[in-house]
Amino acid sequence: MRLTRFKTVRGRLLALLIAIALPIAGLTAVAAVTTYRTVIAAIELSQARAADDFAVRTRVWYRGALRTLLASGALIASGQPSKADCDASSRLLLDQVRGFRALRLVMSDGRVCSTSLDSGVAAGDMAAISAKLKELPSTRIWADNELAQARYDHVALGERSYLAIHARNIGGAMPQEALLLVNTELLDQVFDLGDDSEGMNVALLARGGRVVASRGEDPDISWLPAQERVPESKLRWEAPSRVGGERAYAARMVADPDFYVITSFDDAPVRAARLQFLVLLLAPLLTLTLLCLVYLRAIDSHCVRWLRGIEAAARARSTGKTARAVVAEEMPSDIRSVAEAFNTMVDEQEVRQRRLQTALDDNRFLVRELHHRVKNSLQVVQSYIGLTKRDYRSEARWALADAECRVHVLSAAYRFTLADGEMQPVRVDLFIDDVVTMISNLIRRRDQWISGRIETGASLSVDRIIPLGFMVVDVASRVLRSTPGVSITIIVSDIDASTIEIALEADRDIAHSQPPKLFAGLLAQIEAVQAGGAEGRRLGSWRVRHRA
């Protein structure tokens, strides 16, 4: 596919992506996931069927053993033999059938026939076992009918354990009750795992986790689940084994309510399925990766190379260098259009920037000169008021001194804000200290005193520092004019990182006068909030926010 047929970047990228990436990725994912799910489902089904198979084998064995017990009991009881003959017939049966270890029959007339091949199994033991099993509920039937009321159980006598098959209420010519004890090794044939049994274990368990018989690679049955789960009918789950590690388990009830078969499987089939899944997924994806490399190469050749040129020109502009984006005939039309528009924009921006810089320089010069003129004019006005003040006495002299002090506030504000040739915020501590000095020099009497306790590093713009100075002068001037011999302290301190408090205090209680209407305008200009009113020695306090 020739990507140059597509005139836009979007067309080239979408064409290559649709033609290569999407079909391969979609088909690969669908095929791999479908295969993996199918294999996992087959593994789980085979594990469940294995448990079913062993359960059916066990049921068939139990039914066969029950048939043998019933048939033998009927044969022995048919001739109404004496106890000696009954014992002899029972021993003959036990000798003939491998694995049958003990037999007990209770005839309809009450006679008991009890025989055992093991010395550890006495007649009294068999009677106790028979009485115990007779009290337990019968095993639930497996089909529509059952040969007799039977109970399948597991008993231990001494160091040996037996499978117990107990039948009662048989009826007819048969004994009223029969008990057969069978060696558990007979179940080894039932639980034959065959040749294809790697990783599989099986056991017949009684409720409570008692192991009746087991076969598998792990003879110490550590493969059993750490927590017992008795199936109501059938069950498959995954859980940690007794020695740790996840295993798969399948269980099937054999003889309700106690006996069930449990099978265990390692994760080898699942690992094989995962490996197959990875192969099915990665093999096409590796091909897709190779195609993606070609795709990235094409993107770099037909798109990224030109975009990087525009980016490099833009970044060079940020460092103050003059740069233009490269424009070539082989570029895609839309990228070439962007590069041409970028170069046009750069040309126009440079022209505007030169004009703006020239205008800015002129404005800075004019502003600087204007502020110098204002500062010089204020100094002239202050000097003129100071000279005029000499020709007056009493209230007129006090009014001129007050006016001179206020003009000095303006002059000091402009002096501080233009200290470095450019307008900048004014430090509150330096400004207030200068205002305190000017008040002390201009409007206090000989028996009065004014001082400052300034503990802040905050700064305010010139349009806020000027009304702040006017406010301080206004409050101090009214008190100094009305109270002879008074001492005033101006306190400036930080409340928090962005707030300062300005407070004025006298050394005695004074009679407070109503501030002029202009005072409210000053507070609005400063954006100050009154923290405390004028009362007693306190002349007032205000809080002002600033930029930390």
Side-chain angles (χ1 to χ4, degrees), residues 362-380:
D362 292 342
N363 287 339
R364 285 178 177 173
F365 176 77
L366 291 175
V367 169
R368 190 182 305 112
E369 286 297 317
L370 176 62
H371 283 291
H372 278 298
R373 299 292 182 187
V374 170
K375 183 180 69 172
N376 293 337
S377 299
L378 290 173
Q379 289 176 348
V380 170

Side-chain angles (χ1 to χ4, degrees), residues 187-431:
L187 287 182
D188 289 346
Q189 297 178 356
V190 176
F191 291 161
D192 184 14
L193 302 179
D195 297 331
D196 191 17
S197 60
E198 184 177 355
M200 182 171 66
N201 300 278
V202 61
L204 177 65
L205 270 65
R207 188 181 296 270
R210 292 182 295 122
V211 178
V212 179
S214 66
R215 287 289 296 273
E217 297 179 342
D218 189 0
D220 59 357
I221 62 171
S222 59
W223 53 268
L224 287 175
Q227 294 184 351
E228 182 187 19
R229 295 182 65 180
V230 180
E232 294 183 0
S233 175
K234 60 176 66 177
L235 180 66
R236 185 194 176 279
W237 74 101
E238 294 181 0
S241 66
R242 293 181 177 180
V243 294
E246 291 285 328
R247 293 183 67 91
Y249 297 95
R252 183 70 180 269
M253 184 60 68
V254 173
D256 289 340
D258 289 331
F259 279 5
Y260 63 95
V261 166
I262 183 170
T263 54
S264 172
F265 308 90
D266 61 15
D267 60 348
V270 177
R271 290 200 307 268
R274 289 174 182 168
L275 178 61
Q276 182 183 11
F277 169 74
L278 292 176
V279 170
L280 290 175
L281 182 64
L282 293 180
L285 288 182
L286 290 176
T287 304
L288 181 62
T289 301
L290 180 61
L291 294 177
C292 285
L293 293 176
V294 177
Y295 179 65
L296 293 176
R297 176 76 177 181
I299 293 177
D300 185 69
S301 176
H302 295 278
C303 178
V304 175
R305 178 163 62 103
W306 307 113
L307 295 178
R308 286 177 178 170
I310 299 175
E311 180 187 8
R315 293 187 182 278
R317 293 283 304 163
S318 64
T319 59
K321 298 180 181 179
T322 301
R324 299 292 185 276
V326 178
V327 178
E329 289 297 328
E330 62 271 21
M331 293 175 66
S333 60
D334 47 359
I335 296 183
R336 184 170 64 250
S337 177
V338 171
E340 292 172 349
F342 175 81
N343 292 338
T344 302
M345 179 191 67
V346 170
D347 294 337
E348 295 175 352
Q349 183 182 10
E350 288 181 350
V351 173
R352 289 196 302 270
Q353 189 172 2
R354 285 194 296 270
R355 292 176 180 174
L356 290 174
Q357 186 62 44
T358 301
L360 181 61
D361 292 341
D362 292 342
N363 287 339
R364 285 178 177 173
F365 176 77
L366 291 175
V367 169
R368 190 182 305 112
E369 286 297 317
L370 176 62
H371 283 291
H372 278 298
R373 299 292 182 187
V374 170
K375 183 180 69 172
N376 293 337
S377 299
L378 290 173
Q379 289 176 348
V380 170
V381 171
Q382 182 180 356
S383 299
Y384 181 76
I385 293 175
L387 293 173
T388 305
K389 182 177 64 174
R390 298 176 181 178
D391 298 332
Y392 293 90
R393 294 291 182 272
S394 188
E395 288 297 326
R397 183 182 180 87
W398 184 273
L400 289 173
D402 186 81
E404 183 181 3
C405 189
R406 294 175 189 270
V407 172
H408 176 77
V409 169
L410 292 170
S411 177
Y414 279 101
R415 184 175 72 254
F416 283 118
T417 194
L418 294 172
D420 296 328
E422 297 288 340
M423 292 195 70
Q424 57 188 355
V426 180
R427 285 181 53 178
V428 175
D429 55 346
L430 299 178
F431 178 76

Side-chain angles (χ1 to χ4, degrees), residues 57-114:
R57 291 188 196 179
T58 307
R59 288 178 177 180
V60 170
W61 183 88
Y62 271 121
R63 185 178 287 269
L66 178 60
R67 288 180 182 274
T68 302
L69 176 60
L70 296 179
S72 301
L75 181 61
I76 294 173
S78 61
Q80 296 183 353
S82 62
K83 186 178 186 308
D85 294 335
C86 180
D87 292 343
S89 299
S90 299
R91 179 171 290 276
L92 180 61
L93 172 64
L94 297 179
D95 290 335
Q96 293 295 324
V97 182
R98 184 173 66 87
F100 285 13
R101 307 307 299 170
L103 177 65
R104 182 177 186 270
L105 301 175
V106 179
M107 304 302 176
S108 57
D109 57 1
R111 289 180 297 121
V112 177
C113 177
S114 181

